[in-house]
Short mmCIF file of all heavy atoms in Angstrom, two decimals:
data_model
loop_
_atom_site.label_atom_id
_atom_site.label_comp_id
_atom_site.label_asym_id
_atom_site.label_seq_id
_atom_site.Cartn_x
_atom_site.Cartn_y
_atom_site.Cartn_z
N ALA L 1 0.83 -1.21 0.00
CA ALA L 1 0.00 0.00 0.00
C ALA L 1 0.86 1.26 0.00
O ALA L 1 0.37 2.34 0.32
CB ALA L 1 -0.93 0.00 1.21
N ASN L 2 2.16 1.11 -0.34
CA ASN L 2 3.12 2.23 -0.35
C ASN L 2 3.28 2.84 1.03
O ASN L 2 3.62 4.02 1.16
CB ASN L 2 2.71 3.31 -1.36
CG ASN L 2 3.07 2.92 -2.78
OD1 ASN L 2 3.66 1.86 -3.00
ND2 ASN L 2 2.71 3.74 -3.74
N GLU L 3 3.03 2.05 2.07
CA GLU L 3 3.30 2.50 3.43
C GLU L 3 4.74 2.15 3.77
O GLU L 3 5.24 1.09 3.40
CB GLU L 3 2.35 1.82 4.42
CG GLU L 3 2.52 2.33 5.84
CD GLU L 3 1.55 1.66 6.80
OE1 GLU L 3 0.66 0.93 6.34
OE2 GLU L 3 1.69 1.88 8.02
N LEU L 4 5.43 3.05 4.46
CA LEU L 4 6.85 2.89 4.73
C LEU L 4 7.11 2.60 6.20
O LEU L 4 6.45 3.17 7.09
CB LEU L 4 7.62 4.16 4.32
CG LEU L 4 7.69 4.40 2.81
CD1 LEU L 4 7.88 5.86 2.50
CD2 LEU L 4 8.81 3.60 2.19
N TYR L 5 8.08 1.72 6.45
CA TYR L 5 8.53 1.42 7.80
C TYR L 5 10.04 1.60 7.81
O TYR L 5 10.74 1.11 6.92
CB TYR L 5 8.17 -0.01 8.20
CG TYR L 5 6.69 -0.31 8.16
CD1 TYR L 5 6.06 -0.64 6.96
CD2 TYR L 5 5.92 -0.27 9.32
CE1 TYR L 5 4.69 -0.92 6.92
CE2 TYR L 5 4.56 -0.55 9.29
CZ TYR L 5 3.96 -0.87 8.08
OH TYR L 5 2.61 -1.14 8.05
N PHE L 6 10.57 2.29 8.84
CA PHE L 6 11.99 2.63 8.88
C PHE L 6 12.68 1.94 10.04
O PHE L 6 12.14 1.87 11.15
CB PHE L 6 12.17 4.14 9.04
CG PHE L 6 11.59 4.96 7.92
CD1 PHE L 6 10.30 5.49 8.02
CD2 PHE L 6 12.31 5.20 6.77
CE1 PHE L 6 9.76 6.24 7.00
CE2 PHE L 6 11.77 5.95 5.74
CZ PHE L 6 10.49 6.47 5.86
N SER L 7 13.90 1.44 9.77
CA SER L 7 14.75 1.01 10.87
C SER L 7 15.26 2.26 11.59
O SER L 7 15.15 3.37 11.07
CB SER L 7 15.92 0.19 10.33
OG SER L 7 16.85 1.03 9.65
N PRO L 8 15.82 2.12 12.82
CA PRO L 8 16.28 3.32 13.55
C PRO L 8 17.26 4.18 12.76
O PRO L 8 17.15 5.40 12.76
CB PRO L 8 16.95 2.71 14.79
CG PRO L 8 16.23 1.42 15.01
CD PRO L 8 15.94 0.89 13.63
N ARG L 9 18.24 3.57 12.08
CA ARG L 9 19.19 4.36 11.30
C ARG L 9 18.48 5.08 10.15
O ARG L 9 18.78 6.24 9.85
CB ARG L 9 20.30 3.48 10.73
CG ARG L 9 21.37 3.06 11.74
CD ARG L 9 22.51 2.34 11.03
NE ARG L 9 23.61 2.00 11.93
CZ ARG L 9 23.74 0.83 12.53
NH1 ARG L 9 22.83 -0.12 12.34
NH2 ARG L 9 24.77 0.59 13.33
N ALA L 10 17.54 4.41 9.51
CA ALA L 10 16.83 5.02 8.38
C ALA L 10 15.93 6.16 8.85
O ALA L 10 15.82 7.19 8.18
CB ALA L 10 16.00 3.96 7.66
N ALA L 11 15.28 5.99 9.99
CA ALA L 11 14.38 7.03 10.50
C ALA L 11 15.13 8.33 10.76
O ALA L 11 14.57 9.42 10.60
CB ALA L 11 13.69 6.55 11.77
N GLY L 12 16.39 8.23 11.15
CA GLY L 12 17.17 9.43 11.41
C GLY L 12 17.73 10.10 10.17
O GLY L 12 18.21 11.24 10.23
N LEU L 13 17.66 9.41 9.01
CA LEU L 13 18.25 9.96 7.79
C LEU L 13 17.32 10.86 7.02
O LEU L 13 17.75 11.79 6.35
CB LEU L 13 18.69 8.82 6.86
CG LEU L 13 19.96 8.06 7.22
CD1 LEU L 13 20.23 7.00 6.18
CD2 LEU L 13 21.14 9.01 7.31
N PHE L 14 16.01 10.55 7.07
CA PHE L 14 15.09 11.21 6.16
C PHE L 14 14.24 12.26 6.86
O PHE L 14 13.54 11.95 7.82
CB PHE L 14 14.17 10.17 5.50
CG PHE L 14 14.92 9.18 4.66
CD1 PHE L 14 15.19 7.91 5.16
CD2 PHE L 14 15.37 9.52 3.40
CE1 PHE L 14 15.90 7.00 4.40
CE2 PHE L 14 16.06 8.61 2.64
CZ PHE L 14 16.33 7.35 3.13
N PRO L 15 14.30 13.51 6.37
CA PRO L 15 13.45 14.56 6.94
C PRO L 15 12.02 14.48 6.43
O PRO L 15 11.13 15.12 6.96
CB PRO L 15 14.12 15.85 6.43
CG PRO L 15 14.75 15.44 5.12
CD PRO L 15 15.17 14.01 5.30
N TRP L 16 11.78 13.66 5.39
CA TRP L 16 10.45 13.60 4.80
C TRP L 16 9.53 12.72 5.64
O TRP L 16 9.95 11.76 6.27
CB TRP L 16 10.49 13.00 3.39
CG TRP L 16 11.66 13.41 2.56
CD1 TRP L 16 12.24 14.64 2.50
CD2 TRP L 16 12.41 12.57 1.67
NE1 TRP L 16 13.27 14.63 1.62
CE2 TRP L 16 13.41 13.37 1.09
CE3 TRP L 16 12.31 11.25 1.28
CZ2 TRP L 16 14.32 12.90 0.18
CZ3 TRP L 16 13.21 10.76 0.36
CH2 TRP L 16 14.20 11.57 -0.18
N ARG L 17 8.26 13.06 5.63
CA ARG L 17 7.24 12.16 6.19
C ARG L 17 7.11 10.95 5.28
O ARG L 17 7.40 11.01 4.10
CB ARG L 17 5.88 12.89 6.26
CG ARG L 17 5.81 13.96 7.32
CD ARG L 17 4.59 14.84 7.07
NE ARG L 17 3.41 14.05 6.76
CZ ARG L 17 2.35 13.96 7.54
NH1 ARG L 17 2.33 14.60 8.69
NH2 ARG L 17 1.30 13.25 7.18
N SER L 18 6.65 9.85 5.87
CA SER L 18 6.51 8.64 5.07
C SER L 18 5.47 8.78 3.98
O SER L 18 5.46 8.00 3.02
CB SER L 18 6.15 7.45 5.98
OG SER L 18 4.92 7.68 6.62
N ASP L 19 4.56 9.77 4.11
CA ASP L 19 3.54 9.98 3.07
C ASP L 19 3.84 11.22 2.23
O ASP L 19 2.95 11.80 1.63
CB ASP L 19 2.14 10.10 3.70
CG ASP L 19 2.09 11.15 4.82
OD1 ASP L 19 3.11 11.85 5.00
OD2 ASP L 19 1.05 11.27 5.48
N SER L 20 5.11 11.63 2.19
CA SER L 20 5.48 12.84 1.47
C SER L 20 5.58 12.59 -0.03
O SER L 20 5.71 11.44 -0.48
CB SER L 20 6.85 13.34 1.98
OG SER L 20 7.87 12.41 1.62
N PRO L 21 5.53 13.65 -0.85
CA PRO L 21 5.68 13.48 -2.31
C PRO L 21 7.02 12.85 -2.69
O PRO L 21 7.11 12.14 -3.68
CB PRO L 21 5.56 14.91 -2.84
CG PRO L 21 4.80 15.66 -1.80
CD PRO L 21 5.20 15.03 -0.49
N GLU L 22 8.08 13.15 -1.88
CA GLU L 22 9.40 12.58 -2.20
C GLU L 22 9.37 11.05 -2.15
O GLU L 22 9.87 10.37 -3.04
CB GLU L 22 10.45 13.11 -1.21
CG GLU L 22 10.80 14.57 -1.40
CD GLU L 22 9.85 15.50 -0.66
OE1 GLU L 22 8.87 15.00 -0.06
OE2 GLU L 22 10.06 16.71 -0.66
N TRP L 23 8.76 10.51 -1.08
CA TRP L 23 8.67 9.06 -0.99
C TRP L 23 7.71 8.50 -2.02
O TRP L 23 7.91 7.42 -2.55
CB TRP L 23 8.24 8.65 0.43
CG TRP L 23 9.40 8.52 1.36
CD1 TRP L 23 9.66 9.27 2.46
CD2 TRP L 23 10.47 7.58 1.27
NE1 TRP L 23 10.83 8.85 3.06
CE2 TRP L 23 11.35 7.82 2.36
CE3 TRP L 23 10.78 6.56 0.38
CZ2 TRP L 23 12.50 7.07 2.57
CZ3 TRP L 23 11.93 5.81 0.60
CH2 TRP L 23 12.78 6.07 1.68
N ALA L 24 6.62 9.24 -2.30
CA ALA L 24 5.66 8.77 -3.32
C ALA L 24 6.35 8.64 -4.67
O ALA L 24 6.13 7.68 -5.41
CB ALA L 24 4.49 9.74 -3.41
N ARG L 25 7.22 9.62 -4.99
CA ARG L 25 7.94 9.57 -6.26
C ARG L 25 8.91 8.38 -6.28
O ARG L 25 9.01 7.67 -7.28
CB ARG L 25 8.70 10.88 -6.46
CG ARG L 25 9.41 10.99 -7.80
CD ARG L 25 9.83 12.41 -8.08
NE ARG L 25 10.62 12.97 -7.02
CZ ARG L 25 10.19 13.92 -6.17
NH1 ARG L 25 8.97 14.39 -6.27
NH2 ARG L 25 10.97 14.39 -5.22
N LEU L 26 9.58 8.13 -5.14
CA LEU L 26 10.50 6.99 -5.07
C LEU L 26 9.74 5.68 -5.25
O LEU L 26 10.19 4.77 -5.95
CB LEU L 26 11.24 6.99 -3.73
CG LEU L 26 12.12 5.76 -3.47
CD1 LEU L 26 13.29 5.74 -4.42
CD2 LEU L 26 12.61 5.73 -2.03
N CYS L 27 8.57 5.58 -4.62
CA CYS L 27 7.79 4.36 -4.71
C CYS L 27 7.37 4.07 -6.14
O CYS L 27 7.32 2.91 -6.56
CB CYS L 27 6.55 4.46 -3.81
SG CYS L 27 6.94 4.57 -2.04
N GLN L 28 7.10 5.11 -6.91
CA GLN L 28 6.69 4.92 -8.30
C GLN L 28 7.87 4.51 -9.18
O GLN L 28 7.70 3.79 -10.16
CB GLN L 28 6.07 6.22 -8.84
CG GLN L 28 4.73 6.56 -8.20
CD GLN L 28 4.23 7.92 -8.61
OE1 GLN L 28 4.90 8.66 -9.33
NE2 GLN L 28 3.04 8.26 -8.17
N GLU L 29 9.08 4.97 -8.82
CA GLU L 29 10.25 4.72 -9.67
C GLU L 29 11.07 3.51 -9.21
O GLU L 29 12.11 3.22 -9.77
CB GLU L 29 11.15 5.97 -9.66
CG GLU L 29 10.46 7.21 -10.24
CD GLU L 29 11.30 8.46 -10.06
OE1 GLU L 29 12.35 8.38 -9.37
OE2 GLU L 29 10.91 9.52 -10.58
N ILE L 30 10.58 2.81 -8.20
CA ILE L 30 11.38 1.75 -7.58
C ILE L 30 11.64 0.60 -8.56
O ILE L 30 10.76 0.22 -9.34
CB ILE L 30 10.66 1.25 -6.31
CG1 ILE L 30 11.62 0.46 -5.44
CG2 ILE L 30 9.45 0.41 -6.65
CD1 ILE L 30 11.06 0.18 -4.06
N GLN L 31 12.88 0.08 -8.53
CA GLN L 31 13.26 -1.06 -9.37
C GLN L 31 14.10 -2.00 -8.52
O GLN L 31 14.93 -1.56 -7.72
CB GLN L 31 14.05 -0.61 -10.59
CG GLN L 31 13.24 0.19 -11.59
CD GLN L 31 14.06 0.57 -12.82
OE1 GLN L 31 15.26 0.35 -12.85
NE2 GLN L 31 13.38 1.10 -13.82
N LEU L 32 13.89 -3.30 -8.70
CA LEU L 32 14.64 -4.28 -7.93
C LEU L 32 16.10 -4.28 -8.36
O LEU L 32 16.43 -3.96 -9.50
CB LEU L 32 14.03 -5.66 -8.11
CG LEU L 32 12.56 -5.82 -7.68
CD1 LEU L 32 12.12 -7.25 -7.87
CD2 LEU L 32 12.37 -5.38 -6.24
N GLY L 33 16.98 -4.63 -7.42
CA GLY L 33 18.41 -4.65 -7.70
C GLY L 33 19.12 -3.44 -7.14
O GLY L 33 18.64 -2.79 -6.21
#
């Protein structure tokens, strides 16, 4: 559902909210590998 969960190190890296446009754009462009 494009919901994001962060490990402690990851939570401290990103200033964006998990429902922000930045993450939405990443979710659309995501590729395996």
Side-chain angles (χ1 to χ4, degrees):
N2 282 357
E3 184 179 352
L4 290 155
Y5 300 83
F6 299 94
S7 72
R9 284 187 176 95
L13 284 181
F14 298 101
W16 321 321
R17 289 165 45 113
S18 61
D19 53 6
S20 67
E22 289 85 356
W23 273 115
R25 185 166 54 252
L26 174 67
C27 295
Q28 292 173 356
E29 298 173 353
I30 196 168
Q31 292 183 352
L32 300 182

